Amino acid sequence: ERRLIKMRNDSGFTLFELMVVLGIMAILASIAVPGFLGWLPKYRMRSAADEVLATLQHAKLRAVRENSIVSVNFNFVNDSYLTFLDNGAGADAGNGIQDAGEATVKNGRMPAGIDLQDATIPPLVPLGPVVQFNPRGFPDASGDIVITNGTISRTINLTLGGSASIN
């Protein structure tokens, strides 16, 4: 005689098990979210400082590659920067102003909440400082560019040798 054994299909979760898991996830999220929110402004500041540093390094390399002057104009009013070949294609070479015909290398803006605050690099134009890299990759001035989000500040330092770093 054969016996048929009937097996119950117990696959899946009960409502109680699901509620326990969701409760544990909610507790973990309430612990993790404040830490993440505290970390986010630091991350944004570091990212913005890295972007300014990369822009200066790229301008230096582009000046050497193009055998031309490359200007980086910082605009404190709009919290932006403009990198262009200042080769006199439209008017005067090396005047620190993008004339017609001078190619844009990069046009960038600080992320929301981050401001270009101060610079010890002398301004060539009324809106902010200008750094010009000559065809050998050396800047015309050294100094600092400070960015801030109101509580945290980062300083990008540029030397006359052309090296730049974040302090």
Side-chain angles (χ1 to χ4, degrees), residues 42-111:
K42 293 176 189 173
Y43 173 77
R44 284 186 181 158
M45 177 59 71
R46 181 66 185 182
S47 177
D50 286 343
E51 181 67 24
V52 172
L53 178 67
T55 298
L56 291 170
Q57 291 171 339
H58 184 253
K60 173 184 175 178
L61 294 174
R62 188 71 184 258
V64 172
R65 188 177 86 194
E66 299 286 335
N67 194 28
S68 178
I69 296 171
V70 174
S71 292
V72 182
N73 291 19
F74 292 95
N75 186 325
F76 287 168
V77 175
N78 296 329
D79 294 321
S80 63
Y81 51 89
L82 171 67
T83 306
F84 60 94
L85 291 175
D86 202 354
N87 58 4
D92 300 322
N95 64 355
I97 299 170
Q98 187 177 24
D99 300 309
E102 293 179 333
T104 299
V105 173
K106 184 173 185 177
N107 195 353
R109 179 176 293 277
M110 292 287 104

